[in-house]
Amino acid sequence: MTDVWTAVDDYVEGLFEPPDAALDEALCASDAAGLPSIQVTATQGRFLQILARAVGARRILEIGTLGGYSTIWLARALTPGGRLTTLEISAKHADVARANVERAGLAEVIDVRVGPALETLPQLDGPFDFTFIDADKVNTAEYFAWAVRLSRPGSVIVVDNVVREGALADAATEDPNVQAMRLFLEAAAKESRVSMTVLQTVGSKKHDGFAIALVIPTA
Ligand code: SAH
Ligand code: DHB
Ligand code: MG
């Protein structure tokens, strides 16, 4: 099925994504530096950008930078004067990302912070209007709790790689990443401060999905 999913991604990209030097160079430079090719796809990048723009995001938080590909998509959604903070454990990934962000002309609005996210998150002041969680999967529940804490009513939080080729539905899974996503979703389902769902995706990066949460006012 991946072939037909990729064909549809290619068709959609052909329609809506003209060649973009900054994004193309970010992918090339990330490859050249030996980073894994686990960025969001272009259609997913556009989707994240649309959501961030729809909430009028002035402050964006990203957990998991890699080479800054999703970072560039999201930073382009910022309203004038806005800023994006992105958290990355690997100094090497952060260096590649900073160079990519610089080439994209976004160095002034993006702050790449190096360190384990559970150590850098407590140093941040909210609220953030939009958060994208896409780092190590085992800590997702804790990242989500931080994201809610750093949000305001009306903020949107998106979590990548929740469905994991359908393994999410397997209650007996022994994969720690899948177990972590199940625990995260089961905790989030009890969280009265969010309205939430999971949207499955297919495409050139196979079958996966996003959790999407809207932070709502509590009584
Ligand atoms: N959002 C990126 C992809 C991120 S890949 C994109 O779509 O373009 C996941 C990244 O999370 C990797 O760069 C990895 O080094 C980083 N990461 C892993 N564990 C982390 C941690 N504990 N804290 C912060 N970043 C972490
Ligand atoms: C992996 C991580 C990701 O964030 C992703 O989108 C795809 C794969 C991984 O660690 O394999
Ligand atoms: Mg991901």
Side-chain angles (χ1 to χ4, degrees):
M1 286 302 284
T2 309
D3 284 357
V4 70
W5 300 339
T6 300
V8 173
D9 262 357
D10 289 347
Y11 171 68
V12 173
E13 282 178 40
L15 289 175
F16 298 112
E17 309 304 344
D20 182 307
L23 289 170
D24 295 345
E25 286 168 24
L27 292 178
C28 272
S30 299
D31 265 355
L35 271 50
S37 185
I38 55 174
Q39 323 70 4
V40 294
T41 63
T43 53
Q44 291 169 348
R46 177 68 73 182
F47 171 69
L48 294 171
Q49 184 181 80
I50 289 168
L51 286 181
R53 205 170 267 172
V55 301
R58 186 179 161 80
R59 297 197 60 206
I60 295 177
L61 172 62
E62 178 177 68
I63 308 176
T65 314
L66 193 64
Y69 183 74
S70 55
T71 317
I72 293 170
W73 277 105
L74 284 169
R76 288 174 171 174
L78 289 167
T79 56
R83 291 194 67 83
L84 182 152
T85 300
T86 183
L87 310 181
E88 173 54 55
I89 197 169
S90 155
K92 176 184 170 183
H93 295 184
D95 284 345
V96 173
R98 285 195 189 100
N100 287 336
V101 155
E102 172 84 41
R103 263 192 299 272
L106 292 164
E108 298 297 305
V109 300
I110 294 173
D111 184 12
V112 183
R113 298 216 189 164
V114 179
L118 289 177
E119 289 178 19
T120 47
L121 280 163
Q123 300 165 9
L124 301 180
D125 292 316
F128 291 91
D129 309 299
F130 185 93
T131 299
F132 180 47
I133 299 174
D134 189 22
D136 54 318
K137 308 308 167 186
V138 288
N139 287 315
T140 301
E142 282 186 83
Y143 296 151
F144 187 74
W146 270 106
V148 172
R149 213 171 288 150
L150 291 168
S151 290
R152 54 158 177 88
S155 297
V156 166
I157 303 167
V158 176
V159 183
D160 196 20
N161 310 118
V162 170
V163 175
R164 314 199 70 88
E165 297 188 73
L168 181 67
D170 178 8
T173 180
E174 289 184 7
D175 178 337
N177 293 323
V178 180
Q179 288 173 344
M181 286 306 177
R182 290 177 62 91
L183 287 173
F184 147 58
L185 290 172
E186 286 157 26
K190 297 188 190 118
E191 170 59 77
S192 60
R193 287 173 291 180
V194 299
S195 170
M196 182 153 171
T197 195
V198 171
L199 196 64
Q200 302 188 67
T201 56
V202 294
S204 51
K205 302 256 164 118
K206 301 194 276 189
H207 174 205
D208 213 325
F210 295 112
I212 301 172
L214 174 68
V215 179
I216 53 176
T218 43

